[in-house]
Structures are given as C-alpha cells and as structure tokens.
Amino acid sequence: MPPIKLTSEIVAAAITGFEVERDRIQVRITEIRQLLGRPAGATAPSEIAKPRKKRSAAVRRRMKIAQQLRWKKIKQGAEPAQAETAKPKRTMSASARKRIAAAQKRRWALKKAADAVKKAAAKKPAAKKGAAKTAANKAGVGKPKKAASAPDQAVAQGASQ
C-alpha cells in the first residue's frame, strides 16, 4: 500500500473531526456532572483558576517590609509574657559538686587502670586469666567502698586538704 500524502484538505478534515469528537465528549462529561450534582459550567480546577501574575521587585519588597512589621508587633506583645514565665536558675550546693567531682575522679582512675592493664596484657601475650583483676587490685582501684560514717569522712577530708 503506497503511503498517503497529507494535504491541507486532509489535515483540515482531521481537525474538524477531532473538534466534533471533543464536543461530543464535553456533552457526556456535562451529563455525568449533572448526575453527580455538580454545576454544568464547572470544569477542571486548572481551567477555573487564572494564572497568577508575577510581582515586581518593588511590590515584593513592600510586602516583605509589611510582614516584618507585623511580626515585630507580635513579638513585642509576647515579650513580657515570656519574662514572667522564666524559671529561676538552679544552683548546685558545694557538697553536691564535691560528690560529683569525687565520682568523676573514681571513674577516671578506673579507666586509667583498665588502660594500664590492657597495655600490660599487650606486652605479655601469655598472661593469666586473672591478671587483669590482680593488676587493678594492686593499683588500688576497684569498686567504691561503702560510705564511711560522718566523723570518718571529716577526718579523711581534713587529711586530703
């Protein structure tokens, strides 16, 4: 079959046929919308809404300044309420600071002893299983002892100072 040459008359006839088909489909869409209870004139949302025009730089600048002024008024009205609800700063007692410092020193001593044990174990590849505990005990580091009575603590603190 030889290829068909498209002439302007054939293209015009095709356009007319497609327009008739479009009109027929539009009528069917309108009928279905009426069944759904929607108005006949309403079509897709993109057809209803008009495209927004671009704003000039001067208009955008004025909008920016106006918005900044609105926020400034809102923030000025909110500042006194924030100041009233502020919680007072909490302070720590001297004894609490000393307990925390002592606990931290204990933790660092344990870590340093464990590092020393690891280094010693690395130097001696054939170390015994209990060598780590023995080294830690010799270093005088282990679980913290039970709290001493108040007079004993006062003596210990006086000696360390």
Side-chain angles (χ1 to χ4, degrees):
M1 195 177 208
I4 301 173
K5 290 187 177 181
L6 294 176
T7 63
S8 61
E9 293 146 1
I10 294 174
V11 173
I15 290 173
T16 306
F18 287 133
E19 287 174 345
V20 169
E21 185 72 18
R22 183 192 62 203
D23 293 341
R24 188 181 59 79
I25 292 172
Q26 232 11 61
V27 169
R28 292 256 175 102
I29 290 173
T30 305
E31 291 171 359
I32 293 172
R33 284 214 171 104
Q34 287 175 349
L35 290 174
L36 292 174
R38 293 184 183 166
T43 58
S46 62
E47 293 176 12
I48 296 172
K50 294 180 182 177
R52 219 176 89 193
K53 294 180 181 178
K54 267 195 166 182
R55 293 187 175 101
S56 68
V59 171
R60 286 195 310 268
R61 191 176 311 111
R62 282 189 306 221
M63 289 170 55
K64 175 185 170 187
I65 292 170
Q67 186 64 39
Q68 286 175 342
L69 289 173
R70 284 191 291 271
W71 274 108
K72 188 176 180 181
K73 287 179 185 177
I74 291 171
K75 287 179 182 179
Q76 284 176 349
E79 283 181 17
Q82 277 185 337
E84 294 172 10
T85 60
K87 293 182 180 180
K89 187 176 179 182
R90 297 184 339 183
T91 57
M92 196 182 309
S93 67
S95 62
R97 281 196 298 272
K98 286 180 184 178
R99 282 195 309 267
I100 291 171
Q104 188 63 30
K105 285 179 184 177
R106 252 192 324 271
R107 283 192 289 271
W108 274 108
L110 284 170
K111 183 174 177 4
K112 287 180 183 178
D115 289 345
V117 170
K118 285 181 184 178
K119 284 183 181 179
K123 288 181 181 177
K124 296 181 182 180
K128 295 180 182 178
K129 289 183 180 179
K133 283 187 178 180
T134 308
N137 288 339
K138 285 182 180 178
V141 179
K143 294 182 181 177
K145 297 179 181 178
K146 293 182 180 178
S149 63
D152 293 337
Q153 283 182 347
V155 171
Q157 286 180 356
S160 66
Q161 291 178 358

